């Protein structure tokens, strides 16, 4: 059985799908002052294996969730704490648990490029969310497809709140538009994604931002374009 508190775990790296990882605006849910319910998450963040064993042996729920539905396994996956991930799984941690933004420990590990954690989670049955444009055969994968593991969001900042962010791709700064997991089950949004992708492929002009590729075979789906450091036209005209 999972338990949940009103306390929010805020240290270090946050959910890969959170709209703003460096600041969380209140959504009306109350945060508590008692951090006892999330101490497992804190020591998972620190990599304290003995402390984790002591807490779990005392009866603390390995699948305990904070106010954002995040678990100790989410935290360990974000931080690349492979030994902690292994220990939590041994104690029965749910490998495909989703936080309030529908991010799983595997999605977090992929986002932060924690490759050993990715292998460990996949070994224990974790699977990335299937994108609606996923194809069955390799020959059907679009030429523009980008491997999401090549996108480095380590020092990412948002260009437009909740929409575009800066990332590194093959050593080059790029702009990435990410589509949340809600797109997967919304046919209208999937259609809009397809239309936007088709439009980007048709437009090639020196005065238009260059389309570099997209992630369509896994979730979250993304569109990758060149990064323009001087901002967008609207901001320029207003200035």
């Amino acid at each position: 059985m999972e338990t949940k508190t009103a306390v929010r775990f805020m240290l270090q790296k946050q959910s890969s799908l959170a709209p703003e990882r460096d600041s969380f605006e209140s959504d009306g849910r109350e945060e508590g002052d008692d951090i006892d319910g999330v101490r497992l998450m804190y020591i998972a963040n620190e990599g304290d294996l003995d402390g984790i064993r002591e807490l779990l042996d005392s009866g603390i729920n390995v699948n305990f969730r904070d106010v954002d539905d995040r678990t100790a396994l989410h935290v360990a996956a974000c931080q690349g704490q492979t030994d902690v991930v292994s220990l939590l799984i041994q104690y029965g941690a749910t490998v495909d648990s989703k936080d309030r933004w529908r991010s799983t420990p595997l999605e977090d590990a992929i986002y932060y490029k924690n490759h050993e954690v990715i292998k460990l989670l996949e070994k224990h049955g974790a699977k990335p969310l299937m994108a609606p444009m996923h194809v069955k055969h390799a020959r059907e994968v679009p030429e523009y497809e980008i491997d999401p593991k090549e996108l480095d969001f380590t020092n990412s900042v948002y260009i437009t709140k909740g929409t575009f962010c800066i990332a590194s791709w093959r050593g080059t700064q790029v702009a990435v538009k990410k589509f949340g997991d809600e797109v997967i089950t919304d046919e209208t949004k999937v259609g809009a994604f397809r239309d936007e992708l088709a439009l980007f492929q048709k437009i090639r002009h020196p005065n238009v931002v260059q389309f570099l590729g997209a992630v369509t075979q896994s979730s979250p789906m993304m569109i990758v374009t060149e990064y323009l450091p001087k901002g967008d036209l609207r901001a320029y005209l207003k200035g």
Side-chain angles (χ1 to χ4, degrees), residues 17-33:
L17 294 181
E20 295 282 353
R21 273 169 294 281
D22 55 354
S23 63
F24 288 82
E25 298 178 359
S26 173
D27 62 354
R29 288 194 270 189
E30 181 182 356
E31 293 186 34
D33 295 325

Side-chain angles (χ1 to χ4, degrees), residues 12 33 42 57 63 68 70 114 177 186 191 193 205 223:
Q12 302 294 332
D33 295 325
Y42 280 88
D57 288 340
N63 290 311
D68 293 319
R70 293 180 64 70
N114 296 325
K177 183 176 184 180
D186 190 321
F193 175 85
H205 191 278
I223 291 178

